[in-house]
Amino acid sequence: MEIDIDTTAPTATTDEGGVTTTDEDGVTTTTVNGVRTLLAPRSGPVTAGLLFRVGRADETLATSGITHLVEHLALHRHGLSDLHYNGATAAAYTHFAVTGTAADVVEYLNGVCAALRDLPVDRLETEKEILRTEAVGRGGGAADGMGVWRYGARSYGLVDCAETGLPAITAEDVRDWARTRFTAANAVLWITSDALPEGLDLTLPDGEWRPAPEPTSALPATPAYFQGADGVVLLSSVLPRSTAARLFADVLGKELFRELRQKGGYSYTAAAEYHPRDTGHATLVAYADALPAKQDALVGAFVDVLAKLRAGRIEQADLDSVRATALAQFDGPELAASLLPAAAMNLLMRHRRLPVARARAEIEAVTVSDLHRVARDMWADALMQVPGRGVDWAGLTTAATPPEIVSGRRYSAVEDGKVALLVAKDGISLVTPNRRVTVRYAECALMQVYPDGGRHLVGEDGFSITVEPTLYHLTGGALAPLDAGVPPASVVRMPPRDPARIPRPDPARNRPLTGGQRARSGAVTAWIWLLGTLTVLLAAFTGLVALAQTDPELSPEGPDWAGVFFLSLLTAGCAYPWIEFLRKRRRGEG
């Protein structure tokens, strides 16, 4: 278990004549070429990590993938090597790590920084293809999508989105991203050594430290839920970073395991985790699996565990158990070196870092009442993914609220007239018998534009609409409002698609008319127009007859209302097929 720790030791700000300090835990703080650096000795190979405060949450959907692309380009020149090294792009940071001899570490870190100063942009398209292949092989986990439901297709929700910006990213884009984000002021280095390796050169642009991105929200209210895949229940909640919240996550995990696996037998896996998100907040995630036949019982038992904890029924023995585990981390060998990764991350995020003595004291001071408070806070911000039925009965509101559809021109689908696009000046809606989605142009996070006319729009809330001209009765200029309304920064122009990948109507549902069918269709249309003309004339005649029946001179024996009623019925009978014909024609069905 990793505990938030902060240091009160001053940080050096220059390399020449700067301050180098060692705190009470044995962690040395210095700088290398303006990069804040933490050192602590450890036996065996040297391990180092170079962190930058930039990640996927700093991007937009239209530029997503650019940080990952810079990371790949920075590592390309290392090629095949026996050296153990890696790079990783997370939501709020990018990490370059290496293990080897001191000379290996110097060679790797110097190479990374040299590449960041002069990216091998001749590799741009090749690395894009590698990233696409990596995405296909990565697959998805049960929790994929939780971020989009909470944050939308922005900020921290982008971690769950495809790297849709790759096609449009240019060489100048990646150079600018590296020049402004991968800077000395926005970096922290940690090395398991008691001294800086000789020859280390971390020369980078000066730049500035960039705070973690502000979170966005796509939730109308919390606690909320949405329906997901069968066989799994998930919960996420954003909490202030604290020692009590970390301990609560472990207590929640113990309670879920005990109730859902050991007692109920619903789950094989039932646990909870705590992950720092940014400077001041962390995400608590709880999850449990079950066979489909037991998932309803699982949902009920899962909610019961949450209700029990927020009611304050937390066992002192559980707190004592997780407290002992948390304190045990300070008893390991070479403690200072084991603290480096967390200490460097806290320094990068500018989060507090306590000396070990104060960290121990905070852990020992946590009470059951503190955990009860965290449990209530967790529920107040909870987002649950549940299988099957909803959980309104538990006091959660649905996270998916039907959007307001736009008032615009209707274009029906070729295969099904009940499916249609509504195109207006300010947005577009997709309407089906069971679903409706709206993307307002001003809130469009991404519009992919294909040379064949296809469009794919994603709203900031994460909902999307695909417009395929081959699948809808679109008229000339139908897509002009989209091109005029979507902000240019959200537009990504895509390469031509393989014709075989362009959707086509199902021939079985949309066979072309034969010559005889077209002739019959034309005859039917002619008769319908004739019927419409007759309807107008008949309606006029019925009105004249009704007027005449009320004139004593024309109808001295009194009105013949039965005749008027008969003419009215005849008019209505003629009008109905005419009105239906006009309605279908407007929807593109006729």
Side-chain angles (χ1 to χ4, degrees):
M1 176 181 171
E2 176 189 316
I3 298 297
D4 293 334
I5 45 180
D6 198 356
T7 182
T8 55
T11 301
T13 56
T14 63
D15 293 313
E16 298 179 3
V19 178
T20 297
T21 63
T22 301
D23 65 21
E24 61 192 78
D25 299 322
V27 175
T28 297
T29 302
T30 187
T31 59
V32 181
N33 300 109
V35 176
R36 294 166 293 173
T37 302
L38 301 180
L39 303 168
R42 188 184 68 184
S43 58
V46 178
T47 297
L50 180 60
L51 293 160
F52 292 92
R53 221 305 301 140
V54 59
R56 294 210 56 191
D58 295 273
E59 304 166 350
T60 68
L61 197 56
T63 64
S64 62
I66 191 169
T67 309
H68 198 182
L69 187 55
V70 169
E71 175 224 312
H72 269 234
L73 290 169
L75 291 177
H76 164 66
R77 292 187 178 122
H78 289 281
L80 293 174
S81 171
D82 294 331
L83 185 65
H84 181 69
Y85 69 90
N86 198 7
T89 301
Y93 66 89
T94 302
H95 188 199
F96 297 96
V98 60
T99 297
T101 66
D104 291 333
V105 169
V106 168
E107 179 185 1
Y108 174 78
L109 292 176
N110 288 4
V112 167
C113 292
L116 289 171
R117 295 193 302 268
D118 182 21
L119 290 173
V121 292
D122 57 303
R123 291 276 306 176
L124 190 65
E125 296 306 318
T126 301
E127 293 298 337
K128 287 182 182 181
E129 285 301 308
I130 292 172
L131 290 182
R132 294 186 187 102
T133 304
E134 180 183 334
V136 171
R138 188 183 303 123
D144 283 2
M146 288 285 282
V148 176
W149 279 97
R150 177 175 290 279
Y151 302 107
R154 298 178 291 168
S155 67
Y156 300 92
L158 291 175
V159 174
D160 288 341
C161 297
E163 293 174 334
T164 48
L166 289 176
I169 293 172
T170 66
E172 183 53 37
D173 291 333
V174 292
R175 287 195 188 102
D176 181 69
W177 198 255
R179 185 169 53 247
T180 56
R181 270 77 175 178
F182 289 82
T183 65
N186 207 36
V188 171
L189 172 68
W190 59 272
I191 307 177
T192 59
S193 172
D194 56 358
L196 291 172
E198 187 176 350
L200 189 60
D201 180 7
L202 304 183
T203 301
L204 292 165
D206 291 335
E208 62 182 3
W209 177 74
R210 292 178 176 268
E214 287 295 321
T216 53
S217 177
L219 295 174
T222 54
Y225 76 92
F226 66 96
Q227 291 174 290
D230 283 346
V232 64
V233 176
L234 291 157
L235 175 142
S236 74
S237 183
V238 177
L239 299 168
R241 291 179 65 172
S242 69
T243 300
R246 284 186 178 274
L247 295 180
F248 174 80
D250 289 340
V251 169
L252 174 59
K254 289 177 69 70
E255 187 70 19
L256 289 171
F257 186 84
R258 182 165 49 230
E259 294 296 324
L260 304 185
R261 176 167 172 169
Q262 293 182 319
K263 291 185 179 180
Y266 307 123
S267 297
Y268 174 75
T269 301
E273 300 172 353
Y274 174 99
H275 303 287
R277 186 192 70 184
D278 52 33
T279 302
H281 292 85
T283 303
L284 185 150
V285 179
Y287 51 91
D289 57 9
L291 294 171
K294 291 188 174 183
Q295 64 187 24
D296 287 344
L298 169 68
V299 172
F302 194 102
V303 170
D304 286 346
V305 168
L306 302 177
K308 173 184 175 180
L309 298 182
R310 73 176 188 274
R313 290 186 286 129
I314 300 170
E315 300 295 331
Q316 181 67 45
D318 286 342
L319 171 57
D320 292 341
S321 174
V322 301
R323 191 200 321 271
T325 301
L327 291 171
Q329 69 175 320
F330 301 123
D331 298 329
E334 302 177 318
L335 175 60
S338 69
L339 297 175
L340 286 180
M345 186 65 71
N346 287 337
L347 186 59
L348 182 74
M349 294 291 179
R350 298 196 177 177
H351 178 71
R352 70 183 189 126
R353 175 176 161 255
L354 297 174
V356 169
R358 289 181 57 191
R360 283 181 176 274
E362 279 206 4
I363 294 170
E364 291 168 346
V366 173
T367 66
V368 168
S369 295
D370 294 328
L371 301 188
H372 182 203
R373 172 182 50 77
V374 175
R376 294 197 303 268
D377 292 343
M378 172 204 66
W379 180 254
D381 192 68
L383 173 64
M384 284 187 68
Q385 174 187 313
V386 296
R389 298 192 298 262
V391 285
D392 306 80
W393 53 267
L396 294 98
T397 184
T398 178
T401 55
E404 179 183 351
I405 62 174
V406 301
S407 299
R409 179 76 180 272
R410 182 185 180 99
Y411 300 98
S412 296
V414 172
E415 292 184 355
D416 187 352
K418 296 179 181 177
V419 176
L421 295 171
L422 302 179
V423 180
K425 291 183 178 180
D426 63 336
I428 182 172
S429 296
L430 171 65
V431 180
T432 75
N434 303 313
R435 183 170 177 254
R436 59 183 186 178
V437 179
T438 294
V439 176
R440 301 283 178 177
Y441 305 141
E443 299 168 0
C444 182
L446 172 73
M447 182 171 74
Q448 295 171 315
V449 179
Y450 293 90
D452 55 69
R455 305 283 192 279
H456 181 69
L457 297 91
V458 183
E460 291 178 347
D461 57 5
F463 288 93
S464 63
I465 295 176
T466 298
V467 181
E468 295 288 357
T470 53
L471 301 183
Y472 291 91
H473 293 286
L474 297 173
T475 59
L479 302 183
L482 283 66
D483 298 332
V486 173
S490 298
V491 177
V492 173
R493 302 204 172 273
M494 305 295 289
R497 292 187 283 185
D498 182 338
R501 298 182 65 86
I502 299 174
R504 305 288 178 186
D506 184 352
R509 301 183 62 182
N510 189 53
R511 291 191 179 95
L513 297 178
T514 65
Q517 289 172 325
R518 281 194 294 270
R520 286 193 294 273
S521 176
V524 170
T525 300
W527 276 108
I528 288 291
W529 280 103
L530 181 61
L531 186 61
T533 303
L534 179 61
T535 299
V536 174
L537 294 175
L538 193 56
F541 178 70
T542 301
L544 291 174
V545 169
L547 183 63
Q549 291 295 317
T550 59
D551 190 333
E553 294 184 4
L554 296 177
S555 182
E557 297 180 359
D560 182 8
W561 293 119
V564 172
F565 180 70
F566 173 77
L567 288 172
S568 298
L569 285 178
L570 185 60
T571 303
C574 293
Y576 178 76
W578 167 245
I579 293 171
E580 275 296 291
F581 172 76
L582 291 178
R583 185 182 66 82
K584 289 185 177 182
R585 187 179 182 87
R586 182 175 180 274
R587 292 174 55 180
E589 298 175 34

